[in-house]
């Protein structure tokens, strides 16, 4: 299972203030994959008087030095709300990746993703890379957060897509791919002083979980040192692995099939996206896989 990128849609929030990391990383991925880049900005109909100015800014962005030598074009659309405009444009050009910038959180503070970010997660059919860090990638560690024990809650092939996406990113960026899974059985946890779950001892089912992870990564070529099976809650243990590996990207899945299923987006994914300091690549199951899983 390989991930091919032919077209990258870079969602520009404000053409006057574009995070340098967003363009630099788009350029790196395009150069490595041979993809075409489209810089896209949706202008609200109420400010149509600045169309000429914004179009000129978008043209200048496309001619930036760090994008030279690449197939780059720009598009300005009068459309709103922003997330719907981005999703429509991604579908129109058949984008294989959307790159959006979001604000990195301050230590001790909560990152509040904008409504646009959440809606992109829910509605964009292709993977979305949320860029938090500036600069470019330098042989980065890429961590795929997999969950083979929850196969009934999501399409079974999604974990394989996460691993394939992480491996392909690592190949393009000359980095290293890792697999991560955390578990916390109720019988092996007690509330700590601050209310957080505290693991007691390695439960007997840990070996079964380990075998599930091994089956998942079999054939991926990941050495054991890059297979991280952790006991504890997902946000804190994933944060620890990100820090330990100095990961620059975490690849995670998102499933949203109904109003009730949106709780998944608003709980686990919210904690991860809010707390992790690195970039996040969100991968959703293919439409046909989602349909089968919902049966």
């Amino acid at each position: 299972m390989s991930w091919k990128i032919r077209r990258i849609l870079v969602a520009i929030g404000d053409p006057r203030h574009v995070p340098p990391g967003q363009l630099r990383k788009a350029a790196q991925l395009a150069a490595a994959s041979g993809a075409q880049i489209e810089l896209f900005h949706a202008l609200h109909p109420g400010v149509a008087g600045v169309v000429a100015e914004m179009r000129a800014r978008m043209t200048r962005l496309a001619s930036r030095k760090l994008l030279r030598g690449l197939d780059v074009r720009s598009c300005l659309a009068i459309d709103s709300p922003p997330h719907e405009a981005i999703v429509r444009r991604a579908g129109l050009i058949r984008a294989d990746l959307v790159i959006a910038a979001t604000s990195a959180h301050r230590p001790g503070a909560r990152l509040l993703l904008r409504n646009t970010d959440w809606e992109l997660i829910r509605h964009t059919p292709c993977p979305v890379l949320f860029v938090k860090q500036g600069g470019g990638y330098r042989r980065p560690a890429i961590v795929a957060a997999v969950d083979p024990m929850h196969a009934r809650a999501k399409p079974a092939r999604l974990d394989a897509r996460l691993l394939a996406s992480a491996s392909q990113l690592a190949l393009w960026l000359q980095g290293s791919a890792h697999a991560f899974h955390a578990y916390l059985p109720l019988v092996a946890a007690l509330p700590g002083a601050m209310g957080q779950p505290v693991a007691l001892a390695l439960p007997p089912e840990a070996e079964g979980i380990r075998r599930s992870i091994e089956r998942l990564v079999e054939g991926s070529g990941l050495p054991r040192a890059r297979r991280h099976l952790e006991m504890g809650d997902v946000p804190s243990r994933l944060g620890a692995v990100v820090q330990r590996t100095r990961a620059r990207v975490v690849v995670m899945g998102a499933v949203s099939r109904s109003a009730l299923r949106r709780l998944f987006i608003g709980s686990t994914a919210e904690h991860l996206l809010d707390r992790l300091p690195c970039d996040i690549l969100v991968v959703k199951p293919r439409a046909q896989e989602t349909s089968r899983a919902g049966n």
Side-chain angles (χ1 to χ4, degrees), residues 43 48-58 60 76:
L43 195 62
V50 297
V51 168
E53 176 194 347
M54 290 302 175
R55 182 169 287 119
R57 287 183 180 276
M58 292 293 290
R60 286 198 294 272
L76 179 71

Side-chain angles (χ1 to χ4, degrees), residues 179-292:
F180 163 87
H181 175 68
Y183 62 96
L184 186 61
L186 294 177
V187 297
L190 287 176
M194 302 299 293
Q196 77 281 14
V198 176
L200 298 180
L202 192 66
E205 60 265 38
E207 185 56 34
I209 296 173
R210 188 181 301 278
R211 285 197 298 269
S212 295
I213 291 290
E214 293 300 325
R215 284 195 296 269
L216 178 64
V217 301
E218 185 178 0
S220 67
L222 291 183
R224 291 190 177 275
R226 295 197 220 139
R227 304 174 189 179
H228 308 277
L229 179 59
E230 304 272 327
M231 188 162 65
D233 64 286
V234 173
S236 65
R237 298 318 306 156
L238 181 53
V241 169
V242 166
Q243 184 175 21
R244 188 165 68 241
T245 61
R246 298 182 180 180
R248 298 297 305 275
V249 183
V250 164
V251 182
M252 59 178 292
V255 179
S256 179
R257 292 189 291 269
S258 67
L260 180 60
R261 293 292 185 179
R262 284 191 176 193
L263 293 176
F264 175 85
I265 296 293
S267 56
T268 304
E270 178 182 353
H271 289 151
L272 294 177
L273 286 166
D274 280 356
R275 293 177 58 171
L276 293 176
C278 60
D279 297 349
I280 309 288
L281 176 67
V282 179
V283 178
K284 295 174 68 176
R286 301 186 190 280
Q288 62 271 26
E289 295 170 359
T290 300
S291 177
R292 287 195 298 266

Side-chain angles (χ1 to χ4, degrees), residues 8-185:
I8 299 174
L9 182 69
V10 182
I12 304 296
D14 184 351
R16 297 166 298 185
H17 305 286
V18 181
Q22 186 182 18
L23 292 183
R24 189 170 299 279
K25 290 169 180 176
Q28 283 185 277
L29 288 171
S33 64
Q36 175 191 92
I37 294 177
E38 179 173 296
L39 307 180
F40 176 75
H41 176 64
L43 195 62
H44 192 279
V47 292
V50 297
V51 168
E53 176 194 347
M54 290 302 175
R55 182 169 287 119
R57 287 183 180 276
M58 292 293 290
T59 300
R60 286 198 294 272
L61 281 177
S63 62
R64 290 275 295 271
K65 182 178 180 180
L66 60 84
L67 297 174
R68 288 178 187 170
L70 301 173
D71 184 357
V72 184
R73 59 193 63 186
S74 64
C75 176
L76 179 71
I78 311 298
D79 199 357
S80 69
H83 72 269
E84 291 185 7
I86 294 168
V87 171
R88 278 191 284 269
R89 188 63 186 175
L92 183 63
I93 70 170
R94 298 182 181 180
D96 301 296
L97 175 67
V98 169
I99 299 181
T102 191
S103 302
H105 71 286
R106 299 181 303 277
R110 178 181 171 83
L111 167 68
L112 296 176
L113 290 182
R114 301 163 297 176
N115 182 62
T116 297
D117 299 326
W118 291 117
E119 295 302 327
L120 285 179
I121 292 173
R122 291 186 177 113
H123 299 296
T124 307
C126 65
V128 181
L129 176 64
F130 290 99
V131 174
K132 295 184 182 181
Q133 298 178 328
Y137 296 122
R138 296 182 181 179
R139 300 183 179 275
I142 314 290
V143 177
V146 298
D147 191 4
M149 306 308 292
H150 291 175
R152 292 185 180 180
K154 59 176 174 48
R157 297 188 66 185
L158 180 56
D159 281 328
R161 288 196 70 197
L162 300 180
L163 277 175
S165 299
S167 297
Q168 187 61 65
L169 270 185
L171 181 63
W172 281 330
L173 301 172
Q174 300 181 335
S176 58
H178 298 248
F180 163 87
H181 175 68
Y183 62 96
L184 186 61

